[in-house]
Amino acid sequence: MAIERTFSIIKPDATERNLTGAINALIEKAGLRIVAQKRIRMTREQAETFYAVHKARPFFGELVDFMISAPVVVQVLEGENAVLKHRDVMGATDPSKAADGTIRKLHAKSIGENSVHGSDAAETAVIEIAQFFSGNEIVG
Ligand code: CMP
């Protein structure tokens, strides 16, 4: 299996509760390397672009408002099978359905305020990473 990259966001509900380190520890324990990371305040335009695929969903407005409500930490994670590995350590989108030991089971507040985002496929990761990082900010 080739080394792969995925895109990760530590969301406002987690940064507000000072959980960046706790979540990074779980990411690293899962065998992923954080090869880029920055704490930013997302603009409304950035959040709307990032979640454009969900534009028609009833929760879109709520999702965008939430993502700009406090700082987020955007990250690039690297490792073998990184997309799947990260999805495994995040757990299900709905924390009530997430497996024991996952980030969302341990820390998420609800399906909306679910602490973390991860790319759903390697192709999506390329697009998501490019929205927030230039090549020279990623150091593997
Ligand atoms: P994420 O992995 O960032 O991708 C889309 C996000 O939409 C998801 O995590 C949730 O935070 C959010 N989301 C999904 N379903 C719902 C829902 N039913 N109500 C509110 N937010 C949702």
Side-chain angles (χ1 to χ4, degrees):
M1 180 78 201
I3 295 292
E4 191 174 70
R5 284 179 177 170
T6 192
F7 179 70
S8 159
I9 306 177
I10 301 178
K11 295 187 182 183
D13 68 285
T15 62
E16 276 190 321
R17 287 177 290 152
N18 217 15
L19 291 171
T20 300
I23 290 172
N24 278 350
L26 290 166
I27 288 169
E28 291 183 338
K29 200 169 158 214
L32 293 162
R33 186 176 296 275
I34 301 164
V35 294
Q37 171 171 265
K38 57 189 171 190
R39 182 175 164 106
I40 61 165
R41 189 78 184 223
M42 239 190 230
T43 64
R44 181 170 292 278
E45 192 188 7
Q46 276 178 316
E48 284 177 353
T49 301
F50 185 76
Y51 281 121
V53 67
H54 297 302
K55 211 176 174 85
R57 304 279 196 97
F59 57 81
F60 181 71
E62 195 184 308
L63 174 60
V64 170
D65 286 346
F66 167 59
M67 292 302 289
I68 65 174
S69 66
V72 298
V73 177
V74 290
Q75 303 174 311
V76 181
L77 310 179
E78 191 176 84
E80 276 187 19
N81 225 358
V83 172
L84 208 63
K85 244 183 208 167
H86 186 223
R87 294 186 75 74
D88 281 349
V89 73
M90 285 194 299
T93 305
D94 180 350
S96 70
K97 296 181 182 142
D100 284 348
T102 60
I103 295 168
R104 284 170 172 153
K105 178 73 172 191
L106 288 166
H107 300 301
K109 294 166 84 172
S110 66
I111 191 166
E113 299 193 19
N114 64 354
S115 299
V116 282
H117 165 86
S119 306
D120 60 7
E123 301 73 37
T124 323
V126 171
I127 296 163
E128 293 182 345
I129 289 168
Q131 195 188 334
F132 291 95
F133 291 97
S134 56
N136 64 6
E137 290 179 304
I138 305 169
V139 184

